[in-house]
Amino acid sequence: RFDSNHSVFLLIAKTLVKNNYFQQMDTHLHHEELHLKNSDLLTDIVIGMSDGLTVPFALAAGLSGAVDSTGIIVIAGIAEICAGSIAMGLGGYLAGKTEQDHYNTELKREYYEVDHLHHKEIEETKEFFAGIGLSEELQEQATKEIAKDKKQWVDFMMKYELGLDKPDPKRAMKSALNIGISYVVGGLIPLSPYFFVSHPLTGLKFSVVVTLICLFIFGWFKSRITGINPWWGALRVTLIGAAAAGAAFGVAKLFEA
């Protein structure tokens, strides 16, 4: 029996090597291993920082055109940063929980299909092996072997039929903290000049310079990570932030008049 199983998987391996399947899979898996966790963290930081730099910046700019006290701007800015970080963090948490719930739902469905729609799952497994170039005989033997272990079979179908990887059970909480903290850090940058000046327009001038520089740097690094032209990406992020602040300031002045 050992010799038979060994021969089956040896033939499968030879077929996969012949079709460069292992090389492609190895490249893919190494990419996932090296970049997946960092990618999740960077995604959270980008979400939190982009909103944190832009929304409080626009709020402070708008208030600078409407009030004469930096104290009001600081209080309103801090309140917005607190509320915004909680809202953004909650959004990240719910997104993470939704991903986990979706995976668990599909996992239960897959176990049900293995138990109650056995023939259908057998055919779907054979289709996968056919897709990577195995002969009819090897499809039968490989499917028979993998179907002996229910958990292994279900994990296999989750990965290769549905394309679902098991999510990190702590991902939701990590995402909430990462996004919330990033929002606070980003939000304090445009607000910080108002702590040190007495006139709102003076604070706005410093805030514009500091925030636009930070937006440019943030956009440059974000674009480098995502593979976009960093200079164009940095300029785009900077222009979006400037447009938001300019619109808020203009609307405040319009209503003031």
Side-chain angles (χ1 to χ4, degrees), residues 19 32 44 46 85 151 158 161 167 192 196 207 242 247 251:
N19 290 296
E32 292 293 324
D44 293 342
V46 167
S85 63
K151 183 180 184 304
M158 290 289 289
E161 180 193 12
S192 59
F196 307 103
S207 179
V251 168

Side-chain angles (χ1 to χ4, degrees), residues 53 56-61 64 73 187-194 197 200-215 245:
L53 281 167
F57 181 38
L59 173 67
S64 296
I73 297 174
L188 287 175
I189 292 173
L191 191 63
S192 59
Y194 294 93
V197 297
L201 291 180
T202 304
L204 178 61
K205 292 175 183 178
F206 286 109
S207 179
V208 167
V209 173
V210 172
T211 306
L212 291 184
I213 290 173
C214 289
L215 281 169

Side-chain angles (χ1 to χ4, degrees), residues 250-257:
V251 168
K253 280 296 185 182
L254 181 64
F255 278 96
E256 185 183 31

Side-chain angles (χ1 to χ4, degrees), residues 152-205:
Q152 175 182 294
W153 191 13
V154 169
D155 290 344
F156 179 87
M157 297 304 286
M158 290 289 289
K159 174 70 176 178
Y160 295 105
E161 180 193 12
L162 303 179
L164 295 176
D165 292 308
K166 186 176 181 179
D168 180 359
K170 298 180 181 179
R171 169 66 184 146
M173 186 58 68
K174 288 179 181 177
S175 181
L177 292 174
N178 292 337
I179 293 175
I181 292 171
S182 297
Y183 189 95
V184 171
V185 173
L188 287 175
I189 292 173
L191 191 63
S192 59
Y194 294 93
F195 287 94
F196 307 103
V197 297
S198 57
H199 197 277
L201 291 180
T202 304
L204 178 61
K205 292 175 183 178

Side-chain angles (χ1 to χ4, degrees), residues 126-137:
K126 287 175 61 179
E127 286 177 8
F128 169 79
F129 288 122
I132 60 175
L134 296 187
S135 66
E136 183 70 27
E137 181 184 0

Side-chain angles (χ1 to χ4, degrees), residues 35-198:
H35 296 288
L36 181 59
K37 292 183 179 179
N38 287 335
S39 177
D40 289 341
L41 175 61
L42 289 172
T43 298
D44 293 342
I45 292 175
V46 167
I47 292 172
M49 284 289 288
S50 59
D51 277 21
L53 281 167
T54 305
V55 178
F57 181 38
L59 173 67
L63 288 175
S64 296
V67 302
D68 296 323
S69 171
T70 56
I72 295 175
I73 297 174
V74 169
I75 293 172
I78 291 175
E80 195 288 324
I81 290 172
C82 290
S85 63
I86 292 171
M88 294 290 292
L90 179 60
Y93 177 82
L94 292 176
K97 288 295 292 181
T98 299
E99 182 182 3
Q100 292 177 25
D101 292 341
H102 173 63
Y103 182 88
N104 291 332
T105 298
E106 293 299 329
L107 185 66
K108 291 178 182 177
R109 183 179 291 118
E110 200 63 41
Y111 270 109
Y112 175 86
E113 291 177 354
V114 165
D115 289 333
H116 299 88
L117 302 172
H118 191 82
H119 180 71
K120 178 183 176 182
E121 290 299 296
I122 288 288
E123 290 301 316
E124 290 176 350
T125 306
K126 287 175 61 179
E127 286 177 8
F128 169 79
F129 288 122
I132 60 175
L134 296 187
S135 66
E136 183 70 27
E137 181 184 0
L138 281 177
Q139 292 172 36
E140 292 283 353
Q141 294 179 31
T143 301
K144 183 178 179 181
E145 288 299 321
I146 200 169
K148 290 178 180 179
D149 186 330
K150 184 191 293 187
K151 183 180 184 304
Q152 175 182 294
W153 191 13
V154 169
D155 290 344
F156 179 87
M157 297 304 286
M158 290 289 289
K159 174 70 176 178
Y160 295 105
E161 180 193 12
L162 303 179
L164 295 176
D165 292 308
K166 186 176 181 179
D168 180 359
K170 298 180 181 179
R171 169 66 184 146
M173 186 58 68
K174 288 179 181 177
S175 181
L177 292 174
N178 292 337
I179 293 175
I181 292 171
S182 297
Y183 189 95
V184 171
V185 173
L188 287 175
I189 292 173
L191 191 63
S192 59
Y194 294 93
F195 287 94
F196 307 103
V197 297
S198 57

